[in-house]
């Protein structure tokens, strides 16, 4: 006989994968979720990043699991909650907050500065290419969109890839279809 839990909800039909973990309390999934991210990112945990937005006491466990996995943490200052506590604290009576704040791979960025947030994330995924000129990228993408009215699909894809490269921004995976010649 199925036991109906007071917080249970039906699975979303638009999700393709689910991960079930033991426990019935919010936060019980933290360790398994961290392990799954590490497994999916391969042996090099630097292929993944934890972005800490707002948060509460349960989020501390997530951040500590990221530290355990040697995963970088980007804290969005100005989002409220735990993120603002970590951003503002130089020392804390809470040893866990101090451990998070002094973690070698933590980056605290102002969430109102899109370029700063983008550059922090790019620094994780594209080391050495940490400056993304958003205005140059937008300008180039606009010109490309206009010229694409007269271009073949592969030529358009190559022009898009060139925009990202010129602006020193990481292009989305698969921007050039595999059917296009190199």
């Amino acid at each position: 006989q199925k036991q109906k839990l007071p917080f249970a909800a039906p699975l979303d039909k638009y999700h393709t994968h689910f991960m079930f973990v033991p426990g019935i309390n919010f936060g019980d999934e933290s360790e398994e979720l961290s392990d799954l991210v590490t497994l999916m990112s391969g042996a090099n945990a630097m292929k993944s990043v934890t972005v800490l937005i707002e948060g509460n006491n349960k989020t501390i466990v997530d951040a500590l699991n990221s530290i355990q996995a040697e995963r970088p943490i980007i804290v969005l200052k100005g989002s409220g909650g735990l993120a603002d506590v970590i951003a503002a604290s130089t020392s804390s009576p809470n040893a866990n907050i101090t451990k998070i704040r002094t973690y070698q791979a933590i980056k605290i960025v102002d969430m109102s500065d899109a370029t700063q947030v983008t550059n922090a994330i790019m620094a994780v995924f594209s080391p050495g290419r940490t400056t993304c000129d958003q205005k140059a990228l937008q300008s180039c993408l606009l010109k490309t969109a206009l010229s694409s009215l007269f271009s073949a699909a592969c030529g358009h894809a190559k022009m898009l890839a060139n925009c990202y490269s010129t602006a020193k921004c990481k292009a989305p995976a698969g921007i050039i279809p595999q059917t296009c010649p190199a």
Side-chain angles (χ1 to χ4, degrees), residues 53-95:
I53 304 170
E54 197 178 317
N56 56 32
N57 288 335
K58 303 281 186 192
T59 313
I60 292 173
V61 175
D62 293 329
L64 293 174
N65 284 328
S66 292
I67 291 171
Q68 178 68 31
E70 298 179 1
R71 185 175 300 113
I73 300 172
I74 298 173
V75 177
L76 295 188
K77 179 176 83 174
S79 63
L82 181 65
D84 286 352
V85 169
I86 291 170
S89 71
T90 52
S91 65
S92 172
N94 183 321

Side-chain angles (χ1 to χ4, degrees), residues 44 46-47 119-131 170:
N44 181 358
M46 293 304 283
K47 293 180 186 175
N119 289 342
I121 293 170
M122 285 184 59
V124 173
F125 294 106
S126 299
R129 296 185 71 186
T130 59
T131 54
K170 183 167 175 56

